[in-house]
Amino acid sequence: MTTGLISEGETVTFRGRHLGLKLRHKTRIEVLRPYSYFRDVMVKGVFSHFEHEHHFAEMDDGTRLRDEIRFTAPWGAIGRLATRILVKRHLTKFLMERNAGLKQVAESEDWHRYLDGQSVTIAVAPQGNSIKKRWEASSLLPRSQT
């Protein structure tokens, strides 16, 4: 999936640099309930298992977004140690940055670029932030390469 809105059953492959490693992460949308929930599950990637649930709830002052991630690191005891020391903190920071970018788009007129069917570049870090973008639209791989 490289443009438009993704649907249940479709896959998307990201490539990026995390913790100094070049990674690819292919995920499939398993469940999609528009405006309230979707779950993606890793099809191919660095984790032994990776499941990501996205919950959306309308509130008086906007929309609440809650992410739930369940994953298993590879490499047994070394993977469990890396998860405790580094991976959980890194994923939390990454999601906070990504959600700040989503908030920025949702609260501006930029959301039209996504929902009006125009081709766009996705920014995952808030403007003015010096943190590198880890997963970018330019890193989306066409279906033929996944």
Side-chain angles (χ1 to χ4, degrees), residues 115-127:
L115 298 180
D116 292 344
Q118 299 174 18
S119 181
V120 297
T121 300
I122 300 168
V124 294
Q127 284 183 333

Side-chain angles (χ1 to χ4, degrees), residues 42-60:
M42 184 189 74
V43 175
K44 188 175 183 182
V46 69
F47 293 97
S48 297
H49 172 80
F50 191 95
E51 185 175 312
H52 185 181
E53 294 186 346
H54 310 256
H55 300 265
F56 305 89
E58 189 174 343
M59 308 300 285
D60 289 338

Side-chain angles (χ1 to χ4, degrees), residues 58-113:
E58 189 174 343
M59 308 300 285
D60 289 338
D61 60 345
T63 301
R64 178 187 306 149
L65 168 61
R66 186 179 83 236
D67 288 291
E68 294 179 21
I69 296 179
R70 286 176 289 287
F71 67 92
T72 305
W75 312 305
I78 293 171
R80 288 189 298 277
L81 180 62
T83 295
R84 244 185 318 213
I85 294 172
L86 197 59
V87 177
K88 281 172 64 174
R89 183 177 10 191
H90 176 74
L91 283 173
T92 300
K93 182 179 177 185
F94 171 71
L95 287 173
M96 296 297 284
E97 293 169 8
R98 193 232 23 209
N99 289 348
L102 289 172
K103 177 179 171 54
Q104 177 186 335
V105 168
E107 292 178 348
S108 70
E109 293 301 310
D110 287 348
W111 66 268
H112 290 284
R113 297 185 316 168

